[in-house]
Every structure is written in C-alpha cells, then in structure tokens.
Amino acid sequence: MTADPLSLLKISELTIRFGQQNLLENVSLSLAHGESLGILGESGAGKSLLAHSVLHLLDEGLHSSGSIGWEGQPLKDQIAKLRGHSIAYIPQSPLDASFPVTTLLRQWQDQCQALGIKFQMEEAYALVQKTGIDDPERLLGSLPHQLSGGQLQRILIAMAMMAKPSLIIADEPTTALDTVNQAAILKLLKDFCKKEKAALIFITHDLSIVAPMCDKLMVLNTGRVVEYGLTKEIMNQPRATYTSSLIQAHKRLLSRKERPEKHSDRGVPVLTVRNLDFIYQPTGFFWRRSKAVKAVQSVTLELYQGAISGLAGISGSGKTTLMRTLAGMYPAHFNKLHYQGKPVDSLTAEELVAFRRAVQVIYQNPSSAFDPRQNMEQVLNEAIAENQNETKITINELLDWVKLPTGLLKSNTRQLSGGEKQRLAIARSLALRPKILLCDEPTSSLDQSIQAEILDLFLYLKKERNLGVLLVSHNLAALRHTCDYLTVMADGEIKEAGEIEKVLANPTSDYTQQLIDAEPALTHNFL
C-alpha cells in the first residue's frame, strides 16, 4: 500500500463475501485526523459489518478482499496493538457489551490492565463526570443491570476515552436513548474529538443526527455505496434515488399528518387512571441497601377511542410503569384504574376478561413477542381463536388492516423484518377487537422509513377502526407526526398535558422545553 501521510484510515475496494453472496461490495473511503464520517443506511445495509472489518472482528466463514490501511501501513499488521488504544469501539447495546456479575469499576480496571494502561481512579471519576454523571463513585460500584441505558452508555464512552484514541467507532450509540441523554452523548463525542483531534465514524439510521455530527457521509444500501461525500452536499442535493427516499421518509416523520382531534371530540374515556401513586419497594440481595422509589406520583390520565395520545419523558420518568398499570399488570392498583367508567377492581370475572381483550399492548422489541418456531399463520390463528365475539375476524382481514402480504403467511416469525414483525404484533392484537392499544416505544429500534410506515398505520387504524392508541416514546418528532394529545412526565409526575400542537408550540414547563431543545429533528432545519 502506498503511504498517504494525510490519511489516518484508508479503505480501498473492500469486499466481504459469505459463500457466493457479497455482503459488502467495493467499499472505499478515507478519513483524516479530526475528521468525522457518518455511515447511513437501513438495517442490513452493512454498516456494522464495515465497522467490524476495521476492527478485524469478522465472523468465521466470511471472506474479505481489498485493503484497509492505517497511516499508510496495512492495518492487519498493527490491529493487535491499535484495538482499544488508538481505535476505540462504542457498541449499540451497552448492556450486551458488559460483564453482568462484575462492577463497572472492576471491568474498567481489568480493561486497562489488558491494554497495558495505568488505571488512575481520579482520572476515571473525572471522565465519568464529563459525561454528565454527578455520582461516579456510586455508579462505577454498580453492576451493569443496575444502571439505565444512558448511564451505562456514558460510562462505556468514558472507558473508551481513557486511552485517548485517534479513532472512535460509534455504532448506533444513541438509538434507544431519550433525547436529553442522546444530546448529551453526542455533545460529549463531538467535544472529545475536537479537543483530541480524534477521527469519528458514526453509524446511524437517523438523519437528524448526521448533519450536526459528521463532516462526511457515506450512504450504504445492501452492501453497496450509493453516496459518498460532504454531508451538506449530499443532504441538500442527493444524487441517488435511495438517498432521496431516506430523506423523504425523514421529512414524513417531521410533518403533521392531519388535524389533531379536539378534546371535545373525544366523548367518554374508555380507560382512565386516577390519582395513581406507585412505589417500588427494594427486594433482593443487590438492592438490600436501596431506598423505596416513588415511580409515579398522583397521576391521572384518560384514553379515548378514535384518538392517539402521546406520553413523553426521559428514561426513568415513569412512562412504562404508568403504561403497565393501564394494561392491568398490577392488580394492587385496580382501584385506581377505570374501564368504561367502572373501577377495575369492581368488575365481574366476565367483565374483567372483556377488559383484558379491549386493552392490548405492543412492545418495543417485536422479536421477543413471538414463538420463533411459529409462522405468521399460526400466530394469527392462535389470536383469532381467543376472540370470543360472535363475529370472527379472518386472517385476510387482519393482513389487509396492517398491510401485510398474504405471501408471508408461511414465513417463520424469525424470517420477518423488524417492520413486518411489528405489523404482525399489531395484527395479532387486532384479532381481539381491542378498543385501546398501549404501545411502548414501538418504533425506536426501526429504520426511519419503517418508523413512518408504522406511525401511518396507527393513524389508519384510528380513522378506519376507531382505535384509541397510547404512544409511549422519547421521540417528540414521531409523537408530533401522529398524536392528538401529549402528556409529558418527569420524576413520576405529569409536568404538562394538552393538545400536542399547543404543547410543542408554547410549552409552559421548563422540562418540556428541555425535551424540545434536545430533539434535533424539531430544533434544526437540516433539510
């Protein structure tokens, strides 16, 4: 390889094959010191595979050709001493990247020992504090599962920074985080790279993040490079049809689909929780010194048929606890929950069954909601059999409602894409003819084009099936796209509630304004 003193990382015609199939095909790029590159594309485009190629962490059975160079020399000859030192990797799932039964402090010490870096306790605490964490001693003494996703991700970033790397590879580091934590992590990465003149490869499917974070942009589609150049030029004048389709999907998420329903249009609420207080009592060995946590405090919320309500707030604000209470998962709080005007704790056995069928839950990760041994037809038949109404729904009706092709009926659930699985989860719930769908972050792990399709599906079901929806999300742009009404939570309390356009346009709470300011899709006009 010819020396290139201006290039830190140089990839030339990289191709990765599995059997006769090309997973990456003729990928070339160059990255200088202090430069940032965004890699954009939908799931399966080859983004993470490209990152693993740089780290030389490809699975067995994959064959590669082409070259990867580091400061003018072949990377493969240097990777053993560069990985963890000059090249740092931040994974998408921090919990999966941590050892579950060892404190984070011990893991950090072991990592430094393995890399030959002297561990300095004061430096570690200072790095963690720079990520926005006020109590580093307590958090570093915790096990990974005892921290939130945002806290754990920040600590992993601090670990990566101790070695002062020349290149950081961040693989979707903010996908499942709320907007406040996301903004803090993005600022941390950008400030570090500017101070240390480190290069950054930022892998994402979110166009809102690409523009402020990255100097250059590469767009991948099924392993092929369809665009590569300056970020601003590609965003303003995309040359490829595929890139244009990603930008249009992003614009769809920023647009308001239709006039929000007025509160007076809603009629009588189907489901109500009144003056709910929910306290988690510490149990188990690891929590024996913990204090009781008041997750929800004096919360009242009403849900209606034919209306979509949004529930927003950062991680730990009480959103999921409130949603599970509405779903009837906590019998101890049935006295605070009302279905069609009656307290749930006063319902007869028959009425309680009707309540269970009328209120259905859609989860964040559809893959975990299915038996991987079943195909789509078996899943839907099983749900239809549970429908006790006189009028049965047919499989073809369900598929038509959620816009799934009949050709997928014999497909195993593990063969479906993320968007198809989420549509199947919605179809299974519709088989019971529900009045309310409770959706917990149903689009956070999906590509933006699929996000727009799922959100449009909720709008269709609201209009055509008179379905009520509670959409729990940290994505204010997605909520604005879909919802009629917005409730904002923090520290277990409702900070603000009202018609969504009024709340976002004129927030009365400083906390709501903080959420809006941290949402790049609402505050930056990139496109």
Side-chain angles (χ1 to χ4, degrees):
M1 176 178 292
T2 305
D4 184 357
L6 298 179
S7 176
L8 175 70
L9 178 71
K10 187 177 181 67
I11 299 177
S12 300
E13 298 183 351
L14 177 66
T15 297
I16 298 176
R17 297 181 302 278
F18 179 73
Q20 299 299 315
Q21 180 182 6
N22 285 344
L23 305 180
L24 281 179
E25 187 172 338
N26 293 328
V27 175
S28 298
L29 64 88
S30 63
L31 197 61
H33 289 272
E35 201 170 33
S36 55
L37 169 68
I39 300 181
L40 183 70
E42 297 177 301
S43 298
K47 306 186 298 294
S48 295
L49 188 61
L50 180 57
H52 292 168
S53 300
V54 174
L55 294 162
H56 280 247
L57 294 175
L58 292 177
D59 294 337
E60 293 183 10
L62 297 181
H63 301 279
S64 63
S65 60
S67 62
I68 305 177
W70 180 267
E71 295 185 330
Q73 301 300 320
L75 179 61
K76 63 181 180 180
D77 298 337
Q78 313 172 63
I79 191 62
K81 64 179 182 179
L82 292 176
R83 191 193 297 131
H85 289 272
S86 297
I87 304 177
Y89 178 64
I90 300 170
Q92 178 176 354
S93 175
L95 192 60
D96 292 341
S98 306
F99 194 55
V101 295
T102 305
T103 66
L104 290 161
L105 179 60
R106 180 59 185 272
Q107 292 184 50
W108 198 343
Q109 292 170 331
D110 290 346
Q111 173 184 305
C112 288
Q113 184 177 359
L115 295 173
I117 300 172
K118 185 177 181 181
F119 179 82
Q120 299 280 358
M121 186 73 74
E122 291 183 1
E123 182 183 1
Y125 286 166
L127 285 171
V128 173
Q129 284 179 321
K130 285 181 180 179
T131 69
I133 292 174
D134 296 327
D135 191 3
E137 184 176 0
R138 181 181 64 84
L139 293 189
L140 286 176
S142 303
L143 297 173
H145 74 273
Q146 294 174 316
L147 306 185
S148 70
Q151 290 171 331
L152 190 55
Q153 189 68 286
R154 293 182 190 203
I155 289 175
L156 291 187
I157 291 173
M159 289 182 182
M161 290 178 176
M162 181 169 275
K164 293 183 173 52
S166 300
L167 170 64
I168 295 176
I169 301 176
D171 189 357
E172 301 270 15
T174 61
T175 297
L177 301 181
D178 59 76
T179 52
V180 174
N181 279 325
Q182 174 181 281
I185 286 176
L186 295 179
K187 184 178 186 303
L188 176 67
L189 285 173
K190 195 166 186 178
D191 290 347
F192 176 83
C193 290
K194 182 178 180 179
K195 179 181 178 182
E196 302 294 336
K197 295 184 179 179
L200 173 68
I201 294 179
F202 195 92
I203 298 172
T204 185
H205 59 246
D206 189 346
L207 281 165
S208 299
I209 296 176
V210 166
M213 284 296 294
C214 303
D215 306 316
K216 298 196 299 187
L217 179 63
M218 173 179 285
V219 183
L220 286 176
N221 182 24
T222 61
R224 295 182 176 88
V225 178
V226 297
E227 300 261 15
Y228 177 56
L230 295 177
T231 301
K232 291 182 179 179
E233 292 181 1
I234 292 176
M235 299 286 273
N236 292 328
Q237 292 183 325
R239 297 185 297 273
T241 303
Y242 176 74
T243 308
S244 298
S245 69
L246 294 180
I247 293 175
Q248 290 305 314
H250 180 69
K251 288 182 176 180
R252 283 170 63 196
L253 282 175
L254 300 185
S255 66
R256 176 71 208 179
K257 291 296 292 184
E258 56 186 45
R259 180 185 66 84
E261 296 286 339
K262 299 296 183 183
H263 194 279
S264 58
D265 298 336
R266 294 180 166 196
V268 179
V270 174
L271 193 62
T272 306
V273 64
R274 293 176 183 163
N275 299 318
L276 175 67
D277 290 299
F278 197 110
I279 299 175
Y280 282 107
Q281 296 292 346
T283 59
F285 175 78
F286 290 114
W287 299 97
R288 65 190 185 278
R289 296 181 181 176
S290 301
K291 297 180 180 179
V293 176
K294 201 165 189 177
V296 176
Q297 304 180 51
S298 303
V299 165
T300 295
L301 184 67
E302 297 177 338
L303 300 178
Y304 299 77
Q305 276 191 270
I308 302 179
S309 297
L311 183 60
I314 65 172
S315 300
S317 60
K319 305 189 302 296
T320 299
T321 299
L322 177 57
M323 189 209 72
R324 289 176 176 174
T325 303
L326 288 164
M329 295 184 183
Y330 303 120
H333 296 279
F334 276 180
N335 61 322
K336 299 298 180 72
L337 186 62
H338 295 72
Y339 173 62
Q340 294 186 326
K342 296 178 65 174
V344 174
D345 64 345
S346 69
L347 298 180
T348 65
E350 186 176 345
E351 289 173 332
L352 188 58
V353 170
F355 160 71
R356 294 291 189 193
R357 292 198 173 98
V359 181
Q360 293 292 305
V361 181
I362 306 297
Y363 294 99
Q364 179 176 355
N365 182 7
S367 299
S368 62
F370 299 113
D371 184 340
R373 298 166 296 181
Q374 289 186 323
N375 61 33
M376 184 188 292
E377 186 175 27
Q378 291 170 319
V379 169
L380 294 178
N381 275 328
E382 194 175 77
I384 290 172
E386 290 294 322
N387 185 354
Q388 301 299 311
N389 296 316
E390 292 182 5
T391 306
K392 292 286 186 180
I393 298 176
T394 67
I395 285 182
N396 285 337
E397 283 180 302
L398 290 173
L399 295 181
D400 183 57
W401 288 350
V402 301
K403 312 240 182 314
L404 277 174
T406 56
L408 291 175
L409 275 175
K410 299 298 182 182
S411 299
N412 194 285
T413 57
R414 66 175 179 270
Q415 296 174 306
L416 304 178
S417 69
E420 289 167 343
K421 288 177 184 176
Q422 199 62 287
R423 288 175 185 272
L424 178 58
I426 295 170
R428 179 173 62 179
S429 295
L430 294 178
L432 298 175
R433 292 190 179 276
K435 296 179 179 3
I436 299 290
L437 282 185
L438 305 176
C439 306
D440 189 6
E441 300 278 7
T443 63
S444 66
S445 60
L446 302 178
D447 301 318
Q448 288 192 316
S449 58
I450 307 299
Q451 285 184 40
E453 290 177 6
I454 297 298
L455 294 174
D456 286 347
L457 174 59
F458 288 136
L459 289 167
Y460 168 81
L461 293 171
K462 163 197 162 182
K463 185 177 181 180
E464 300 297 328
R465 310 307 310 170
N466 195 33
L467 193 66
V469 178
L470 176 66
L471 193 58
V472 180
S473 179
H474 58 251
N475 188 336
L476 290 180
L479 294 178
R480 181 181 179 275
H481 176 84
T482 314
C483 297
D484 307 302
Y485 196 73
L486 177 64
T487 299
V488 180
M489 288 190 70
D491 299 324
E493 299 178 327
I494 291 180
K495 296 296 184 181
E496 192 157 4
E499 294 171 12
I500 190 164
E501 293 287 8
K502 293 181 179 178
V503 170
L504 294 180
N506 298 293
T508 59
S509 165
D510 292 339
Y511 176 77
T512 305
Q513 187 63 59
Q514 182 186 8
L515 292 181
I516 295 171
D517 292 342
E519 174 59 72
L522 295 180
T523 56
H524 300 286
N525 183 22
F526 297 146
L527 303 179

